[in-house]
Amino acid sequence: MEEITIDSKPESIKERNEALGRILWGKNGSKFSMRRFAMAAMKKLLHKKKEDKK
Amino acid sequence: MTDIAEEPMNSIERVLTSLKLKEPDRVPVWPLMDYLPINYYDISAKEIVFDPIKSQKAYEWIYHRLGGFDIAMAGGIMNLLYLNPFPDCYSSFFFDWKLPGRNNPDNIPAQLVHTSGLLKEDGYDRLIDEGFFRLMSFKNASLMDMMKLLKVGKKVAKNMKRWWNYYKVPTFSDGGITAPFDLLSFFRGLTNFMKDIYKQPEKIMEASEFMVDGLIAMAKYGASITGGKTILIGSARASGDFISEKHFDKLYWPYLKKLVEGLMKDGYIIQLHFDTNWTPRLHYFLELPKGTIYLHLDESTDIFKAKEVLGDHMCIQGNLKPALFSFGTPHMIEKQTKEIIEKCAEGGGLIVGSELPDDAKLENVKAMIDTCKKHGVYK
């Protein structure tokens, strides 16, 4: 039987994270990291809480 | 509990041979299940989503109970689906999903309350400039859910490995994304989006072009969390049921093609999970590269036409009508399964299956599996 490979190729994490940054924060968005994403989410949440209190 | 009978090929070999458009030992069979175990095993819908260990046990129990099948679901994968913090139609960070044990009772599967207008009529330019993050909310999912993503991912990865390495059964939705056209329609709301197709098609094209690289990156990121090899691209709203060929050709196809080509270049197995009626658009799929790609259709698309058009080009799955599994009989299932095998199996490139309703009768699911094992053998 012909050998069938299923391993995906190594990818550029840098390129992937730049593309993730763009889809999350727009065409000039910063490069994605989970830490940056979580910080931004925390800021957003705090801002929303402040707005709700007003 | 049924023992799994030994066969000439294991499920990984069988499925991958079919993907390569060659004849394996027999036709592979995939009973796609989400919450099915809640009706047969001591597990709730909440646990299916939020308990990766218990849900894996439930999926394995069903696998044995049915005598084995060829594509499986990793326990906990639905947690990653609903609590995915990236823009996707299944994400609770963007859409109003009622999840079991949270804002739905423990044993009621997830339901989407379809909202319209997250993206405003003039929002396409802003989407390109500022991205999707500004549309994210914490109404249905928390910061903690986001922080737990990698931890849950590790558990799902372990379950996935168990299917691939211990059972020799592939999993088929390790990473998942929605096609740009469909995703935009979710963010705009279907009615608004259908008007945009006529009023501002160029904005849909610009936004779709902007999204392609990001969606590819999202799919890769998802697969990297679980260590998976397969990516599901979901689509339903660009079929012949929804838009004209002129609009399909201009607003949908170029971006789907880029998405698929971008992912195939990196060696992933792609499942095009395309619900609704794609029969009049099947010839477009000939433009996609041959290789590890699989067109998963539901019962709305004519599987026999799909075989005629795409039989030499890509692996197809024609769905048996899901309702048959709840309301039909084993005899009815056997008859339909046999017909699909007789007309579509020749030369390989066929997987038989169905996206099962949660209340599907196990004897009906078993009838589909047994028919493939008995009548789907290649000579």
Side-chain angles (χ1 to χ4, degrees), chain B residues 122-194:
Chain B
D122 57 356
Y124 291 99
D125 286 338
R126 213 174 153 195
L127 192 69
I128 295 169
D129 291 337
E130 297 175 35
F132 280 91
F133 180 74
R134 72 177 185 87
L135 303 173
M136 195 173 179
S137 101
F138 294 94
K139 187 180 152 202
N140 297 312
S142 70
L143 196 59
M144 192 52 77
D145 290 323
M146 198 174 156
M147 304 302 285
K148 278 202 244 166
L149 184 73
L150 298 177
K151 200 174 160 192
V152 176
K154 274 185 191 163
K155 290 182 184 167
V156 176
K158 199 175 161 193
N159 294 337
M160 233 166 237
K161 271 188 193 151
R162 185 161 164 81
W163 283 117
W164 283 83
N165 299 339
Y166 179 75
Y167 286 104
K168 307 289 179 201
V169 171
T171 53
F172 246 32
S173 318
D174 307 338
I177 48 171
T178 311
F181 185 91
D182 295 68
L183 192 54
L184 286 171
S185 90
F186 269 86
F187 275 98
R188 278 287 286 137
L190 188 57
T191 309
N192 294 332
F193 189 67
M194 287 296 159

Side-chain angles (χ1 to χ4, degrees), chain A residues 1-12 15-17 19-20 22-29 32 34 37-42 44-45, chain B residues 9 16 20 22 85-86 128-134 136 138 143 146-147 149 164 210-211 213-215 217-218 220-221 224 229 265-266 268-269:
Chain A
M1 193 179 72
E2 183 198 349
E3 193 188 339
I4 295 163
T5 55
I6 44 171
D7 290 332
S8 47
K9 293 174 189 169
E11 51 169 324
S12 162
E15 265 177 40
R16 185 195 72 189
N17 288 346
L20 283 175
R22 284 193 295 275
I23 201 160
L24 286 173
W25 295 299
K27 61 184 180 189
N28 300 317
F32 167 85
M34 203 31 150
F37 195 14
M39 289 300 285
M42 205 180 296
K44 190 182 176 92
L45 198 58
Chain B
M9 283 182 164
L16 293 179
K20 295 276 182 185
K22 293 184 177 175
F86 295 101
I128 295 169
D129 291 337
E130 297 175 35
F132 280 91
F133 180 74
R134 72 177 185 87
M136 195 173 179
F138 294 94
L143 196 59
M146 198 174 156
M147 304 302 285
L149 184 73
W164 283 83
F210 161 74
M211 289 160 68
D213 283 350
L215 289 171
M218 276 167 50
K220 288 180 180 177
Y221 188 78
S224 76
K229 305 166 179 77
K265 192 162 57 68
D266 284 332
Y268 290 97
I269 296 171

Side-chain angles (χ1 to χ4, degrees), chain B residues 49-64:
Chain B
V49 176
F50 295 107
D51 187 338
I53 295 169
K54 196 166 179 188
S55 61
Q56 177 69 16
K57 276 187 186 161
Y59 287 135
E60 286 185 25
W61 180 86
I62 290 250
Y63 175 80
H64 284 280

Side-chain angles (χ1 to χ4, degrees), chain B residues 36-53:
Chain B
L36 184 70
I38 65 175
N39 288 306
Y40 298 100
Y41 187 82
D42 178 25
I43 190 166
S44 65
K46 178 187 171 185
E47 288 165 325
I48 287 275
V49 176
F50 295 107
D51 187 338
I53 295 169

